[in-house]
Amino acid sequence: MANRDGRPVEPGQLQAMADAVAHRGPDSEGIVTLGPVGLAHRRLAVIDVDDRSNQPMRDGDNWLLFNGAIYNFPELRAELEGLGRHFHTQSDTEVLLHALDQWWTDALPRLRGMFSFVFYDARRQTMLLGRDRFGIKPLCYHLSDRVLLAGSEAKQLLATGLVDSAPNHDMLRRFLEYGHLNFDARSFFVGIKALPPGHLATYDLTTRAFATARWYDLAAQVEPLAIGYEEARERLRALFFDAVRAHHVANVPLGASLSGGVDSSSIAAASAGVVGDPAQFPVFTVFHADRHHDERGYAAQVAQRFGYRQVEVPVSLVDYYTPEWLEAFAWSQDQPLPSGSHFNEHALFRAAHEAGVTVMLDGQGADEYFGGYGEFWLAAQREALGAGRLGEAWQNFRGRSLTTGDGLPLTLRKYLAAGRQSDRLISPLMSGIWRGGGTESYTPVAPPTAYKPLSLDELTRTSIPYQLHSQDRNAMQFGIESRVPFLDHRLVEFVMGLPTRFLVGKGWQKLILRDAMDALPDTVRWRRDKIGFSSPDASFGRDHPDRMAAMIDDALRVLAPLLDVTTLRERIAASARHSLPYDPANFRLISLAAWVRRFAVPL
């Protein structure tokens, strides 16, 4: 934090910030006051776990607070030593400290990893804040005439008493109506923003000037590649295996999520050449009693293929669907949940913590550029048909019909119907219900219809930012560092430059990834169904109507200042009478109410 009026920082406020995120750094605490600047850090020791690498870390007039992992720190260290720099630890933190002093903002493009940091040059009276390319590690801030606050989680900033919990009504409305989360710099608290992924910020203590700027733009880094399929597959394999190898750099026990899908199974395959004893590399598989949300069979095949110890993690919605648990999740996330799928992540990281794992590898990010979602299949067909590649489109339509079991005629009809949908539809339950404040006149923006623009949108705005926010909070709640090899920027940029038909083609989604992962069992590599971290929310409401009704009734009381409660009750009753399809806004209602209660948000 920095007091913009020059007053000395109060140590108690720094202590409150550190205490609010003790879960993120269970291994050490460091607090430093430097007149109007205060630095507080909680450390999760992963690389060079010795106390010499604790933070805040100092070198002369420079101070660093750092969260994350720099995977190419040995190479950067060698370069910096060649420039005359001297090191006293074996940590990536010290490498980042020297890199920022040597190259300032030019250091950021050199970094390969996930990071958020605050670098303070006391001699120049300047602070530099930075966040990694995809926002894997969080960084939020509050700026007023009085103070600049920055931290990993919003609750740190609230803990100082210098910013209150007043809500951003526009964010609340978009969440209830559309389920949108983390789609821009705004948070659910009107006084707190996120530094966007791939951005930096500078603060000059002398002039009090604060400015943000983008240092990484994925779109500008992607160039179409004129390359054959076989060469592309081999280069993909090399880049991916190198990314996984780099993500294994740690001095603590590692493990991995293994859902049984292609993405997490690929990480398991690539890890086989890195781990020593595979029995000491546990893989964790979550499952529900509902067989439609249970992939243990696929995951077991992968674990057995490579000799990993598989840990099966049951998830019970009956246990999690309570006001107390929803408030706990709201506190952990600093925002409400859109669905019960987040219960899976919580259970996964809790099991990893109980097993003694400190670093977890996860398959997040692959779907958004390899084409794992249905909208990518649609975009690929538009591209093929528009270019006159009718044989390619025909293969894909046949493959899609096999995947869904719909049959070819129905698949064609669904494709035509999807082409007529122009935007992300508002929740039927919430349409016209909002009565709260806010200034936003929001018109839904149709997602891009072309494959590469759609992928950019998912990676930078509509999908990955929210997924990474959730994953970071669920992992760090248990003092676990979650790593995502599929978001290695060199891998993403390469795949984004490939022809679409390499990604969605021959009737398959993620074609080239499947083809490259020939070490996997074919039953996993070429499986057509997709489950992922799903949750049977709809069935819970049917199986436990009284509990669900009680939670919704409580939510309507809490959120009454924001909503047309009378109409909403009528719609909920009509939905039950006519057995209408489940609307996820039901879950969003009870989750938002839990967030309001837990943070004592004034409505």
Side-chain angles (χ1 to χ4, degrees):
M1 66 181 295
N3 282 330
R4 303 185 75 192
D5 57 7
R7 289 177 301 104
V9 166
E10 296 181 14
Q13 292 172 336
L14 293 175
Q15 187 66 59
M17 293 181 76
D19 291 345
V21 289
H23 53 279
R24 296 186 70 94
D27 296 321
S28 71
E29 175 184 278
I31 294 176
V32 173
T33 57
L34 302 166
V37 172
L39 307 173
H41 189 266
R42 295 287 310 209
R43 184 186 181 202
L44 176 65
V46 172
I47 297 175
D48 188 8
V49 298
D50 192 274
D51 287 349
R52 65 192 176 191
S53 291
N54 288 347
Q55 300 181 48
M57 185 175 283
R58 180 185 183 184
D59 180 61
D61 293 321
N62 299 323
W63 293 84
L64 178 66
L65 299 176
F66 163 56
N67 174 25
I70 307 301
Y71 303 123
N72 64 333
F73 80 93
E75 296 88 343
L76 290 174
R77 174 172 175 147
E79 184 177 359
L80 288 162
E81 286 176 330
L83 294 171
R85 298 276 174 167
H86 299 283
F87 291 83
H88 306 284
T89 76
Q90 299 299 314
S91 69
D92 54 342
T93 303
E94 190 179 14
V95 170
L96 179 58
L97 175 61
H98 282 285
L100 291 169
D101 183 47
Q102 180 72 37
W103 298 305
W104 195 236
T105 59
D106 288 339
L108 275 69
R110 296 171 178 263
L111 305 178
R112 181 187 184 191
M114 56 180 189
F115 53 85
S116 63
F117 65 80
V118 175
F119 177 73
Y120 175 47
D121 186 328
R123 179 178 54 84
R124 291 192 288 183
Q125 288 290 284
T126 302
M127 302 178 77
L128 174 65
L129 291 70
R131 195 171 179 206
D132 66 65
R133 293 168 177 84
F134 298 105
I136 303 169
K137 282 300 173 184
L139 184 58
C140 59
Y141 68 93
H142 165 78
L143 182 68
S144 68
D145 290 340
R146 179 182 178 185
V147 67
L148 168 64
L149 300 171
S152 294
E153 300 185 9
K155 65 179 67 68
Q156 286 177 274
L157 282 54
L158 297 172
T160 64
L162 300 174
V163 54
D164 61 35
S165 61
N168 186 317
H169 282 256
D170 291 329
M171 294 291 289
L172 271 58
R173 179 177 183 177
R174 288 185 68 169
F175 172 72
L176 285 175
E177 293 181 345
Y178 296 93
H180 289 172
L181 286 169
N182 307 107
F183 55 87
D184 62 21
R186 293 175 293 177
S187 79
F188 272 63
F189 301 101
V190 72
I192 298 174
K193 291 183 177 180
L195 184 67
H199 278 64
L200 58 84
T202 54
Y203 176 63
D204 187 317
L205 275 74
T206 303
T207 65
R208 301 178 63 198
F210 179 85
T212 63
R214 171 180 280 180
W215 68 268
Y216 178 76
D217 182 359
L218 174 60
Q221 301 300 316
V222 175
E223 297 181 1
L225 297 173
I227 187 174
Y229 182 81
E230 298 301 323
E231 181 184 352
R233 182 183 60 189
E234 294 310 309
R235 286 181 60 183
L236 165 62
R237 194 199 321 260
L239 282 169
F240 177 66
F241 274 65
D242 181 66
V244 172
R245 177 200 57 77
H247 282 67
H248 272 264
V249 173
N251 301 123
V252 292
L254 289 86
S257 167
L258 181 61
S259 70
V262 175
D263 305 339
S264 62
S265 297
S266 296
I267 291 174
S271 295
V274 183
V275 300
D277 179 2
Q280 299 302 312
F281 184 70
V283 292
F284 299 83
T285 306
V286 299
F287 69 95
H288 293 265
D290 184 334
R291 64 181 181 84
H292 298 294
H293 300 268
D294 184 354
E295 297 183 276
R296 282 177 293 171
Y298 290 111
Q301 293 179 50
V302 176
Q304 292 166 11
R305 168 67 61 91
F306 300 109
Y308 299 138
R309 175 169 62 91
Q310 185 185 18
V311 180
E312 296 182 350
V313 184
V315 182
S316 170
L317 293 190
V318 175
D319 294 336
Y320 281 120
Y321 261 85
T322 68
E324 295 77 17
W325 264 114
L326 288 171
E327 287 190 28
F329 277 104
W331 180 256
S332 169
Q333 296 282 323
D334 289 327
Q335 63 187 28
L337 304 182
S339 74
S341 64
H342 297 262
F343 302 154
N344 299 346
E345 273 190 345
H346 180 270
L348 173 82
F349 289 116
R350 179 175 61 186
H353 172 73
E354 292 171 350
V357 169
T358 304
V359 172
M360 282 280 286
L361 273 59
D362 195 275
Q364 210 78 278
D367 282 319
E368 284 73 13
Y369 63 99
F370 278 105
Y373 301 135
E375 55 261 40
F376 287 104
W377 180 85
L378 292 169
Q381 304 334 301
R382 295 188 194 103
E383 183 177 313
L385 291 169
R389 299 196 301 268
L390 303 183
E392 176 186 329
W394 178 252
Q395 274 191 318
N396 287 331
F397 277 114
R398 286 180 59 84
R400 184 71 172 175
S401 69
L402 292 172
T403 298
T404 61
D406 286 339
L408 193 55
L410 181 56
T411 299
L412 290 167
R413 289 199 298 273
K414 285 186 174 182
Y415 170 76
L416 294 173
R420 293 191 293 269
Q421 293 179 358
S422 61
D423 58 32
R424 301 174 186 270
L425 298 177
I426 190 171
S427 156
L429 184 65
M430 294 304 304
S431 179
I433 295 297
W434 184 258
R435 297 294 182 269
T439 60
E440 184 176 77
S441 177
Y442 176 64
T443 301
V445 177
T449 57
Y451 189 101
K452 295 304 169 62
L454 176 61
S455 187
L456 282 169
D457 192 54
E458 297 264 357
L459 283 165
T460 61
R461 193 177 69 92
T462 59
S463 178
I464 284 300
Y466 133 70
Q467 291 188 45
L468 292 176
H469 177 103
S470 171
Q471 182 168 297
D472 171 82
R473 301 307 194 276
N474 276 315
M476 296 302 285
Q477 191 68 24
F478 295 100
I480 290 177
E481 182 170 279
S482 180
R483 296 179 175 179
V484 280
F486 276 108
L487 290 180
D488 182 283
H489 71 280
R490 300 185 306 175
L491 175 65
V492 176
E493 292 168 7
F494 172 74
V495 175
M496 288 284 289
L498 296 176
T500 300
R501 65 181 182 278
F502 290 7
L503 309 175
V504 179
K506 298 182 180 180
W508 293 95
Q509 292 174 243
K510 302 183 182 177
L511 172 64
I512 197 168
L513 177 63
R514 298 174 189 269
D515 214 1
M517 295 298 110
D518 52 9
L520 292 175
D522 283 347
T523 51
V524 173
R525 185 163 61 128
W526 298 108
R527 60 177 292 198
R528 289 191 176 274
D529 59 322
K530 179 179 177 61
I531 298 177
F533 261 29
S534 60
S535 173
D537 293 340
S539 62
F540 178 85
R542 291 193 303 268
D543 297 341
H544 304 276
D546 292 342
R547 182 190 290 191
M548 194 68 181
M551 286 193 291
I552 287 180
D553 191 57
D554 175 69
L556 295 182
R557 285 195 298 270
V558 172
L559 302 176
L562 305 178
L563 307 172
D564 179 353
V565 172
T566 300
T567 301
L568 196 49
R569 288 187 187 279
E570 292 172 355
R571 289 183 183 177
I572 292 171
S575 178
R577 285 196 307 271
H578 302 295
S579 300
L580 297 179
Y582 172 74
D583 188 330
N586 283 283
F587 186 95
R588 299 199 293 266
L589 274 170
I590 63 175
S591 182
L592 181 60
W595 173 80
V596 169
R597 288 194 304 266
R598 184 62 183 83
F599 283 96
V601 176
L603 298 180

